[in-house]
């Protein structure tokens, strides 16, 4: 049903524990969008890959049908189909990719494999047309932490990344330590709001004043030491009083340290690139304290772009949008393209300052 304004795109996301499908029109308006979070993992305190893959398989048909129904279109009217091809859990990715390829093949439509993190970069633009390059991109999810300079779509200059745990992973692990449920990010945020962020001070890993632009540590992140510092603090507090009562203060101290590191490194990128437009993407972009800290530091002249929490977390709409971008550039794959747990980020290159 291609119109003068462009094609109708179906996007599928199954890289982790959300089964999602969306239909966007030629002007990138979201016509139908379903996100089904798998609660099968809650009892395990983390995502179990085999369970995730099986749950995607059970749910993908209904999720796509409902997204099409919301959009008021049939599958036959869709012009191209995109799916997250990586990175992510291989069994989970295969469900979306195989579904998309089969449907595209049967209908004689193009199939577009999408890099999950490129999808996160496009999410804010679905709600705010001004969320376009140039910008400094801070991608913070359960699997990745990347600081990018994006002069234009498709040109991703990597300034820094995490050397160990991803930011979201740190939120999830600390939440588990504090006896909070999975996913930990929203739980830490909720509990931290009840605490005093100044009662305990935790270290800011990889953030030192005397670092210089020519060291990789200037933009890189590390979160595993912060998690260990929370373990030590919890033990120390446990000797003197009940950890339960101190949980809000510990959660607030952790959130403050993680946010300080993320916001400080993003501001270093703003200074180094002379670009005061920052785009936050990935699940941790839903964190209110992080948004607040970044907009405070950017001040009145800078711009902060982020999607609503629904579009910050994994979703099919951002995948449909990224698929449209790749399609317009001619990056359509043959049906031999497959899912890859460690898919390379297209257009990513090292050394962002030029
Ligand atoms: O992008 P996403 O939905 O999935 C991945 O691609 O990994 O990100 C999920 C991550 C989880 O680690 C979750 O705890 C974190 O995003 N998260 C948050 C918040 N909401 C989700 N972290 C901090 N604060 C939040 N409000
Ligand atoms: Zn994600």
């Amino acid at each position: 049903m291609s119109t003068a304004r462009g094609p109708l795109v179906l996007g599928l996301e199954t890289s982790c524990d959300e089964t999602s499908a969306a239909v966007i029109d030629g002007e990138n308006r979201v016509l139908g969008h379903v996100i089904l979070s798998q609660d099968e993992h809650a009892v395990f305190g983390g995502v179990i890959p085999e369970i995730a893959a099986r749950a995607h398989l059970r749910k993908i048909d209904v999720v796509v049908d409902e997204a099409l129904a919301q959009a008021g279109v049939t599958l036959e009217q869709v012009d191209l189909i995109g799916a997250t091809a990586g990175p992510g859990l291989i069994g989970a990715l295969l469900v979306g990719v195989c579904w998309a390829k089969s449907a595209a093949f049967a209908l004689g439509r193009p199939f577009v494999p999408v890099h999950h993190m490129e999808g996160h970069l496009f999410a804010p633009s679905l709600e705010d047309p001004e969320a376009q390059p140039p910008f400094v991109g801070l991608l913070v999810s359960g699997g990745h932490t990347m600081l990018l300079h994006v002069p234009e779509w498709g040109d991703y200059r990597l300034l820094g990344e995490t050397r160990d745990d991803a930011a979201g992973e740190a939120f999830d692990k600390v939440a588990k330590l504090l006896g909070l449920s999975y996913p930990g990010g929203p739980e830490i945020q909720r509990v931290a709001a009840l605490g005093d962020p100044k009662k305990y001070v935790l270290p800011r890993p990889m953030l030192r004043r005397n670092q210089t632009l020519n060291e990789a540590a200037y933009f890189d992140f590390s979160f595993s030491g912060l998690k260990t510092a929370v373990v030590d603090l919890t033990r120390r507090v446990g000797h003197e009083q009940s950890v339960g009562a101190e949980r809000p203060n510990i959660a607030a101290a952790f959130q403050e340290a993680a946010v300080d590191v993320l916001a400080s490194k993003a501001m270093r990128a703003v200074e180094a690139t002379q670009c005061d437009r920052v785009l936050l993407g990935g699940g941790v972009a839903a964190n209110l304290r992080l948004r607040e800290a970044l907009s405070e530091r950017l001040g009145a002249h800078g711009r902060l772009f982020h999607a609503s929490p629904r579009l910050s977390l994994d979703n099919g709409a951002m995948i449909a949008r990224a698929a449209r971008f790749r399609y317009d550039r001619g990056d359509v794959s043959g049906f031999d393209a497959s899912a890859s747990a460690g898919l390379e980020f297209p257009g990513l290159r090292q050394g962002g300052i030029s």
Side-chain angles (χ1 to χ4, degrees):
M1 207 176 74
S2 188
T3 64
R5 292 182 182 130
L8 203 59
V9 187
L10 172 65
L12 304 184
E13 159 59 39
T14 65
S15 68
C16 192
D17 58 343
E18 263 85 34
T19 314
S20 180
V23 179
I24 63 168
D25 71 5
E27 290 183 333
N28 301 315
R29 283 180 301 218
V30 181
L31 305 182
H33 195 192
V34 179
I35 306 171
L36 213 58
S37 294
Q38 301 177 357
D39 48 18
E40 286 86 344
H41 309 282
V43 287
F44 302 104
V47 178
I48 309 294
E50 180 66 19
I51 293 177
R54 286 171 190 269
H56 286 306
L57 204 52
R58 277 199 312 277
K59 296 169 187 182
I60 187 89
D61 289 322
V62 253
V63 166
V64 175
D65 285 351
E66 178 57 24
L68 291 167
Q70 282 178 9
V73 297
T74 63
L75 186 57
E76 290 71 25
Q77 289 175 304
V78 165
D79 298 298
L80 72 120
I81 305 181
T84 304
L89 305 171
I90 190 64
L93 290 165
L94 277 167
V95 175
V97 167
C98 291
W99 200 104
K101 279 205 294 189
S102 316
F105 183 72
L107 297 167
R109 302 283 191 270
F111 161 66
V112 183
V114 173
H115 191 282
H116 183 77
M117 300 315 287
E118 186 170 45
H120 276 304
L121 279 181
F122 274 100
S125 70
L126 289 165
E127 294 171 324
D128 179 354
E130 288 185 34
Q132 306 288 337
F135 57 72
V136 164
L138 179 61
L139 288 178
V140 274
S141 71
H144 291 82
T145 305
M146 296 171 125
L147 188 58
L148 306 167
H149 177 215
V150 182
E152 58 184 306
W153 290 122
D155 183 359
Y156 307 126
R157 303 176 183 190
L158 184 67
L159 302 173
E161 60 190 329
T162 184
R163 297 194 180 175
D164 41 57
D165 293 351
E169 192 180 355
F171 273 86
D172 294 336
K173 287 180 174 170
V174 168
K176 201 169 183 176
L177 268 167
L178 296 179
L180 301 169
S181 58
Y182 181 86
E187 282 294 286
I188 294 272
Q189 176 176 303
R190 181 181 63 78
V191 174
L194 311 169
D196 172 6
K198 295 206 171 83
K199 176 153 185 192
Y200 302 110
V201 177
L202 289 167
R204 271 61 171 156
M206 306 272 289
L207 185 65
R208 290 191 320 276
R209 248 173 243 240
N210 59 0
Q211 284 164 324
T212 56
L213 189 56
N214 51 20
E215 322 171 34
Y218 190 72
F219 291 125
D220 274 352
F221 304 90
S222 163
F223 290 102
S224 75
L226 182 53
K227 179 192 62 195
T228 311
V230 175
V231 173
D232 292 344
L233 174 62
T234 311
R235 279 207 196 107
R236 220 172 349 114
V237 169
H239 281 304
E240 292 156 18
Q241 57 203 301
S242 124
V243 173
E246 286 302 294
R247 208 155 55 173
N249 297 328
I250 300 173
F254 162 75
Q255 179 172 262
E256 212 50 34
V259 163
D260 188 17
V261 173
L262 291 167
S264 300
K265 301 256 170 170
M267 293 313 292
R268 283 180 174 181
V270 164
E271 195 183 320
T273 59
Q274 299 283 299
C275 173
D276 61 0
R277 297 158 57 84
V278 175
L279 182 139
L280 251 186
V284 184
N287 188 275
L288 295 173
R289 183 68 195 110
L290 177 59
R291 293 176 182 185
E292 183 186 62
L294 268 170
S295 57
E296 263 169 25
R297 295 188 199 199
L298 277 165
H301 294 295
R303 287 289 307 266
L304 178 66
F305 301 106
H306 58 75
S308 59
R310 181 171 157 84
L311 290 187
S312 294
L313 297 166
D314 290 351
N315 67 85
M318 68 183 196
I319 301 305
R321 178 65 190 89
R324 170 73 196 281
F325 165 70
R326 289 284 154 198
Y327 174 76
D328 287 347
R329 288 193 19 150
D331 297 343
V332 176
S333 282
F335 289 105
D336 54 346
S338 192
S340 162
L343 188 71
E344 259 182 53
F345 200 149
L348 187 76
R349 54 190 169 110
Q350 300 284 334
I353 307 298
S354 56

